[in-house]
Amino acid sequence: MDEVIADVIPKFLKLYNRDFGTALDIEQTPGKEVFELIPEDVNRKWYEYINEPGFFRDLEPIADSREVVKKLHEKYDLYIVSAAMEFRNSLQDKYDWLRDHFPFIDWKHIIFCGNKIVNVDILIDDRIRNFVDFDGRKLLFSSPHNLLITEYERVNNWKEVAEKLL
Amino acid sequence: MDEVIADVIPKFLKLYNRDFGTALDIEQTPGKEVFELIPEDVNRKWYEYINEPGFFRDLEPIADSREVVKKLHEKYDLYIVSAAMEFRNSLQDKYDWLRDHFPFIDWKHIIFCGNKIVNVDILIDDRIRNFVDFDGRKLLFSSPHNLLITEYERVNNWKEVAEKLL
């Protein structure tokens, strides 16, 4: 979900801006996580933000994600698989967010987990740790933190996913 | 979780008793769901009960489940896989319940889903619908509703699971 269909970075920047006056338009250095670009004395605050109820509830969908995921859903047996389990307070928010923005995906096709031990053919993900034990086709969805990684098939946006899979 | 490690039937009976004075010790006819033994005019109430926040929070663990699951966890790469996604209000409750009763299972090994499309070798479940697309070893955990099913390897309780897998 995060950084693939849910745009989480602007939310972090908004909260850092609110609390510490950091810039809202920080451009992420390729290969760096967003919190690595925030002054060191306050950057650990991300962990508090992400644990606040509501953090995941009002994120914007990533550009074109709804349209392309809907078409993929019509062609494939599509699942949303989110490593939500790390953050207890994210579960209801993520569930409600999916109901709002991806209402065509029923509850049987939503998975909140830790390790993504799912039996699927294609995995679209921004985190290569989820590819390690996965034998199928891996599509690395571009996000600033993964831009230096070269050993996987890459999709830079949902339009490119559509070109490859539709 | 439900009817395998979490004892959900007594909770239903308690609520039916509270609201309609039905017996607390209804013995389930083999092959029947609990709500099929409640008078027809009120038995649909189960759907309201199960959607109430808190319903899953105070269930008793099934006998010997904690001890045997702990030993399985030491021997195997063990996951808790619950079809929790059907009930939005169950997510936090189930998460908190697991933290209380199975604290040795970390978040990476918990999966809330609909369809159980997990890539595992052994699946212990009380619902045969979860076995349909599963190629590994299937252990049907006895619950009144599944007692008439004969075509799967059966475990009647956690002691029998221990005998087979430990």
Side-chain angles (χ1 to χ4, degrees):
Chain A
M1 290 180 70
D2 306 319
E3 301 183 56
V4 178
I5 61 171
D7 203 4
V8 74
I9 303 292
K11 182 74 182 273
F12 277 121
L13 293 181
K14 196 172 129 189
L15 295 173
Y16 278 121
N17 173 270
R18 182 195 68 189
D19 295 345
F20 308 108
T22 53
L24 277 167
D25 60 349
I26 290 174
E27 200 165 316
Q28 274 187 263
T29 315
K32 297 277 187 192
E33 303 288 340
V34 61
F35 65 85
E36 295 180 274
L37 305 164
I38 301 291
E40 212 174 310
D41 53 330
V42 299
N43 71 8
R44 287 196 176 174
K45 192 83 178 175
W46 76 268
Y47 194 76
E48 281 176 47
Y49 293 150
I50 209 166
N51 279 298
E52 275 175 23
F55 179 86
F56 291 95
R57 189 64 187 88
D58 61 353
L59 305 181
E60 290 296 318
I62 294 274
D64 304 314
S65 61
R66 281 182 294 192
E67 298 74 11
V68 176
V69 169
K70 188 154 200 313
K71 283 181 189 149
L72 290 169
H73 159 77
E74 285 157 14
K75 180 173 174 183
Y76 298 88
D77 188 23
L78 180 138
Y79 284 77
I80 302 290
V81 185
S82 175
M85 212 53 73
E86 188 170 4
F87 305 109
R88 181 256 190 201
N89 290 335
S90 76
L91 301 174
Q92 281 190 9
D93 285 340
K94 282 179 174 245
Y95 182 96
D96 293 339
W97 189 89
L98 285 171
R99 290 274 65 76
D100 277 357
H101 297 288
F102 294 82
F104 52 89
I105 297 174
D106 68 43
W107 63 269
K108 291 182 179 175
H109 290 80
I110 298 172
I111 300 179
F112 291 166
C113 57
N115 297 331
K116 296 189 177 178
I117 57 157
V118 286
N119 192 5
V120 297
D121 300 307
I122 304 169
L123 184 56
I124 304 170
D125 211 299
D126 68 311
R127 296 281 171 188
I128 61 169
R129 64 168 175 259
N130 295 315
F131 292 156
V132 174
D133 290 318
F134 177 63
D135 286 334
R137 183 173 176 188
K138 305 155 190 66
L139 294 180
L140 183 61
F141 196 93
S142 287
S143 182
H145 69 79
N146 69 31
L147 288 179
L148 302 183
I149 294 165
T150 54
E151 58 269 60
Y152 291 99
E153 183 178 2
R154 180 180 290 279
V155 279
N156 286 303
N157 51 56
W158 280 99
K159 284 208 166 71
E160 286 188 19
V161 176
E163 280 162 29
K164 283 175 185 281
L165 299 181
L166 290 172
Chain B
M1 290 181 72
D2 306 320
E3 302 182 55
V4 178
I5 60 171
D7 202 5
V8 73
I9 304 291
K11 181 72 181 275
F12 277 121
L13 293 181
K14 196 172 130 188
L15 295 172
Y16 278 121
N17 174 270
R18 181 194 69 187
D19 295 346
F20 309 109
T22 55
L24 278 167
D25 60 349
I26 290 174
E27 200 165 316
Q28 273 187 264
T29 314
K32 298 276 188 192
E33 304 288 340
V34 62
F35 65 85
E36 294 181 275
L37 305 164
I38 301 292
E40 211 173 311
D41 54 330
V42 299
N43 70 7
R44 287 197 177 170
K45 192 82 177 177
W46 76 268
Y47 194 75
E48 281 176 46
Y49 293 150
I50 210 168
N51 280 299
E52 275 174 23
F55 179 86
F56 291 95
R57 188 65 186 86
D58 60 353
L59 306 181
E60 290 295 319
I62 295 274
D64 304 316
S65 61
R66 282 181 293 191
E67 298 75 11
V68 176
V69 169
K70 187 154 201 312
K71 283 181 190 149
L72 289 169
H73 159 76
E74 285 157 12
K75 181 174 175 183
Y76 297 88
D77 188 22
L78 181 138
Y79 284 78
I80 301 290
V81 185
S82 175
M85 213 53 74
E86 188 170 5
F87 304 110
R88 181 257 190 200
N89 291 335
S90 76
L91 301 173
Q92 281 190 9
D93 285 340
K94 283 180 174 244
Y95 182 96
D96 293 339
W97 188 90
L98 285 170
R99 290 274 65 77
D100 276 359
H101 298 289
F102 295 82
F104 51 89
I105 297 174
D106 68 42
W107 64 268
K108 291 182 179 174
H109 290 79
I110 298 173
I111 300 179
F112 292 166
C113 58
N115 298 331
K116 295 189 178 179
I117 57 156
V118 285
N119 193 4
V120 296
D121 301 308
I122 304 169
L123 183 57
I124 304 170
D125 210 300
D126 69 309
R127 298 280 171 188
I128 62 169
R129 64 167 175 258
N130 295 316
F131 292 157
V132 173
D133 290 320
F134 176 64
D135 286 333
R137 183 174 176 187
K138 305 155 190 66
L139 294 180
L140 183 61
F141 195 93
S142 287
S143 182
H145 70 80
N146 69 31
L147 288 179
L148 302 183
I149 294 164
T150 55
E151 58 270 60
Y152 292 98
E153 183 178 3
R154 180 179 290 280
V155 280
N156 286 303
N157 51 57
W158 280 98
K159 285 207 166 72
E160 286 189 19
V161 176
E163 280 162 29
K164 282 176 185 281
L165 299 181
L166 290 173

